[in-house]
Amino acid sequence: MGTAQQINTYSRTLPFIEIMDSTLRDGEQTNGVSFLPHEKLMIARMLLRDLNVDRIEVASARVSEGEKEAVQMICRYARQINRLDSVEVLGFVDGHASIDWIADCGGQVINLLAKGSQKHCVQQLGKTPEEHIADILDEVRYATSKGIAVNLYLEDWSNGMKDSPGYVYQLMDKLTSGGVKRFMLPDTLGIMNPLQVIEYFRKMMKRYPEQHFDFHAHNDYDLAVSNSLAAVLSGAKGLHVTVNGLGERCGNAPIASVQAILKDQFQATTNINESQLNGASRMVEGYSGIAVAPNQPIVGENVFTQVAGVHADGDTKDRLYYNDLVPERFGRKREYALGKTSGRANIAKNLEELGLELTSEQTRRVTERITELGDKKEIVTQEDLPYIVSDVLKHDAPEDKVKLLSYVVSTAYGLKPGANIKVEINGKQYEASATGDGQYDAFVKSLRYIYKKYLNRTFPILQNYQVSIPPGGRTDALVQTVITWNNDGKLLRTRGLDADQTEAAIKATFKMLNIFENEQTNNE
């Protein structure tokens, strides 16, 4: 059967695909990433409870006391929700030490690391295949006696199939009846292409048709997703992924991309709750400190933003520029960027969402102004539109309902930063002071106090805070602060620009407060 025919056949008969997320183990091997125990617990909760992955690999055995604490916390939580068998820990052929460590943590599954290539077995371990097989079987027997299930990694399996397939088959022949639940086949060095994955997986499936095979891809040639899909098309029952593609060197297959392609391109079935993919991405981005590229499929900031005006025009004419990756599916929404290539259709879409109605001539004039700003590399957001409209149409700018009258922020060695503020809200003046972890944190705590004590209202939650130099700017010029707010489930992103970082954040804050205040007034 040719490759094209094979793909067509599998795409019609794809089974359920089990997803194992390794963000907390393999993902933590990303350079510079180290999760605290409570961070690991929060990510594990998101993966199991919200995203609903089938399994999570949470650590390597015997790494540190902090790692042990994290595994114990995750196991306690997983037991409470009856998902303890979904928690897995990487362990080693080390005379039962890893198994004892996992048992002491309360774990029930070990992902045992064996050597999947003859080079690794002979040159790294200094053992014969027979000796290595005997050691593996001894570990499996001991784990079984402790009530721990065993999945087996064949490390460097891709090179094993390439250089020493006889060795791989020798291992498999001896281990298939030894109590191993899953055989996990990694492309440890990220050397494979999809055609090789199909070839090698077909050989494994032909010799061992009753076994459960997982595939674990690395992205050194930017083929992790493609190789994962090739493995599924060739009979793999499980795939290993990480959130945002975190992992050693170039990373692993990102869960969002794998999920979308499995469902849309091959009609495969998984348990993944797609609406939580973006939330998981944001959480891991925050804890890891590794920013997601704006154009990262599914979870990147810009992937549901239409920039060209012709695309916005097409969207109004029977969704001509839509595909199956609709943002609502992933808990997001489509946006239309404002800039020099926006065109009237893009701007009309933004005006429509804001409830602003302009004539064709007025829209043309607003478009010209936004194009002019775009040529100067100015960033224009949807929240800027009412002010641009007012300026272009020679109207008075909307009067701020929330005004900052005065403030003092301070910091001193050995003391917590403080803030004293005086604001005016709907014509009434209020004062407050507070301390915080930083000057801006103290400033916001003062505002929260005013809103709670004097207005009996909740203050929007700060969800994300980014500081950067504006595009085209210089390090000694302006600072741009972009803050994402959550007000009863509604997200709003505002921007402040100033030479001082705290001042820029304050500007973004008051822009947000005025937007929400105007909305509340309109709803009353």
Side-chain angles (χ1 to χ4, degrees):
M1 180 184 293
T3 301
Q5 290 175 300
Q6 177 191 0
I7 290 175
N8 288 334
T9 299
Y10 278 122
S11 66
R12 290 194 298 270
T13 60
L14 272 179
F16 169 79
I17 303 302
E18 195 174 65
I19 301 297
M20 192 274 267
D21 185 280
S22 188
T23 303
L24 297 176
R25 198 278 299 176
D26 216 359
E28 198 180 28
Q29 291 179 196
T30 306
N31 185 30
V33 173
S34 179
F35 299 118
L36 296 172
H38 79 273
E39 292 174 339
K40 281 202 165 191
L41 176 62
M42 296 304 295
I43 294 172
R45 286 175 49 145
M46 165 66 81
L47 294 172
L48 291 175
R49 181 190 63 188
D50 301 327
L51 197 53
N52 200 36
V53 299
D54 300 288
R55 299 147 51 202
I56 57 174
E57 189 175 45
V58 300
S60 297
R62 304 170 57 207
V63 168
S64 67
E65 285 303 310
E67 198 79 329
K68 189 171 189 177
E69 179 186 355
V71 175
Q72 289 172 334
M73 292 167 63
I74 292 170
C75 286
R76 282 196 298 269
Y77 169 73
R79 186 183 293 276
Q80 292 171 3
I81 63 170
N82 297 317
R83 294 289 305 274
L84 186 55
D85 60 349
S86 297
V87 177
E88 303 173 6
V89 178
L90 180 73
F92 310 94
V93 180
D94 55 9
H96 308 163
S98 290
I99 296 169
D100 288 337
W101 191 92
I102 293 168
D104 193 42
C105 291
Q108 291 185 346
V109 184
I110 182 173
N111 291 342
L112 187 63
L113 189 69
K115 299 303 181 182
S117 69
Q118 190 164 348
K119 281 184 179 180
H120 274 225
C121 176
V122 175
Q123 296 180 21
Q124 189 172 37
L125 296 183
K127 295 196 173 187
T128 66
E130 292 77 14
E131 289 172 330
H132 189 38
I133 291 169
D135 290 342
I136 296 169
L137 288 173
D138 180 54
E139 296 287 350
V140 174
R141 284 191 293 268
Y142 183 73
T144 303
S145 72
K146 301 278 285 187
I148 294 177
V150 179
N151 302 319
L152 188 72
Y153 270 116
L154 296 184
E155 185 186 15
D156 201 36
W157 168 80
S158 48
N159 271 320
M161 291 299 291
K162 185 178 179 181
D163 301 328
S164 53
Y167 167 83
V168 176
Y169 301 147
Q170 182 181 359
L171 256 66
M172 290 295 301
D173 290 344
K174 297 292 185 180
L175 297 174
T176 50
S177 60
V180 175
K181 186 174 183 180
R182 300 178 183 89
F183 288 91
M184 307 194 295
L185 310 180
D187 182 15
T188 303
L189 301 179
I191 63 168
M192 301 177 78
N193 64 54
L195 294 179
Q196 290 171 318
V197 173
I198 290 173
E199 176 189 352
Y200 298 157
F201 247 93
R202 286 183 67 187
K203 290 178 178 179
M204 296 292 286
M205 292 299 302
K206 184 176 181 180
R207 290 180 66 101
Y208 313 103
E210 303 303 318
Q211 298 303 317
H212 176 118
F213 289 116
D214 282 0
F215 182 64
H216 180 105
H218 278 266
N219 203 39
D220 296 69
Y221 282 96
D222 204 18
L223 289 171
V225 174
S226 299
N227 286 342
S228 296
L229 297 171
V232 168
L233 292 172
S234 305
K237 294 181 180 178
L239 291 178
H240 296 188
V241 296
T242 60
V243 177
N244 298 338
L246 290 183
E248 197 167 20
R249 304 186 312 277
C250 299
N252 295 26
I255 186 172
S257 298
V258 168
Q259 166 62 24
I261 297 174
L262 279 176
K263 180 176 180 180
D264 293 359
Q265 303 293 341
F266 302 113
Q267 294 75 54
T269 302
T270 70
N271 281 327
I272 298 300
N273 180 359
E274 293 183 337
S275 68
Q276 298 298 316
L277 285 168
N278 191 58
S281 174
R282 299 283 76 78
M283 175 181 284
V284 171
E285 181 181 38
Y287 285 147
S288 69
I290 304 296
V292 174
N295 62 339
Q296 176 80 14
I298 313 302
V299 296
E301 183 177 357
N302 295 343
V303 297
F304 296 116
T305 300
Q306 300 281 35
V307 175
V310 65
H311 293 169
D313 179 63
D315 288 347
T316 65
K317 298 173 180 176
D318 200 24
R319 298 157 62 97
L320 297 180
Y321 289 91
Y322 276 46
N323 57 24
D324 289 338
L325 298 173
V326 292
E328 292 77 14
R329 170 179 163 188
F330 306 105
R332 303 185 64 183
K333 69 175 186 176
R334 192 173 302 279
E335 297 179 359
Y336 296 89
L338 297 170
K340 63 182 180 180
T341 62
S342 297
R344 293 192 196 183
N346 240 7
I347 292 165
K349 282 279 189 183
N350 282 276
L351 291 170
E352 178 185 338
E353 190 167 330
L354 289 171
L356 296 173
E357 295 185 12
L358 300 183
T359 66
S360 178
E361 173 60 20
Q362 289 172 333
T363 301
R364 182 190 66 78
R365 290 162 60 190
V366 171
T367 302
E368 288 179 353
R369 175 59 61 86
I370 290 175
T371 301
E372 177 185 336
L373 292 170
D375 280 334
K376 297 178 181 179
K377 289 193 174 183
E378 291 282 349
I379 297 175
V380 182
T381 68
Q382 191 183 73
E383 289 75 30
D384 294 322
L385 261 184
Y387 299 89
I388 293 173
V389 169
S390 294
D391 180 53
V392 169
L393 301 184
K394 306 304 179 185
H395 293 162
D396 292 334
E399 183 179 355
D400 288 342
K401 295 180 180 294
V402 184
K403 300 176 182 177
L404 177 61
L405 301 181
S406 63
Y407 78 94
V408 175
V409 292
S410 62
T411 184
Y413 180 77
L415 298 175
K416 296 194 73 172
N420 295 279
I421 69 171
K422 184 177 182 180
V423 298
E424 180 181 301
I425 304 174
N426 292 320
K428 295 184 178 181
Q429 296 184 7
Y430 306 94
E431 294 185 30
S433 61
T435 59
D437 294 329
Q439 291 180 340
Y440 178 66
D441 182 55
F443 187 94
V444 170
K445 284 183 177 177
S446 300
L447 279 173
R448 290 187 188 280
Y449 178 83
I450 289 172
Y451 270 74
K452 181 177 181 180
K453 179 175 181 178
Y454 299 112
L455 304 178
N456 195 28
R457 284 165 50 189
T458 58
F459 191 87
I461 297 171
L462 191 154
Q463 186 155 313
N464 195 16
Y465 182 101
Q466 295 178 317
V467 179
S468 64
I469 301 168
R474 304 191 313 275
T475 56
D476 59 352
L478 295 177
V479 174
Q480 174 178 272
T481 303
V482 180
I483 307 179
T484 303
W485 307 90
N486 187 326
N487 189 39
D488 291 332
K490 179 176 180 180
L491 296 181
L492 176 67
R493 190 167 58 245
T494 54
R495 177 178 63 104
L497 208 61
D498 197 87
D500 179 80
Q501 178 180 326
T502 301
E503 184 70 23
I506 290 172
K507 287 181 178 179
T509 303
F510 274 80
K511 182 182 286 189
M512 172 274 297
L513 290 174
N514 277 288
I515 291 170
F516 282 134
E517 198 67 39
N518 284 322
E519 287 184 354
Q520 176 155 328
T521 301
N522 293 335
N523 292 333
E524 291 176 348

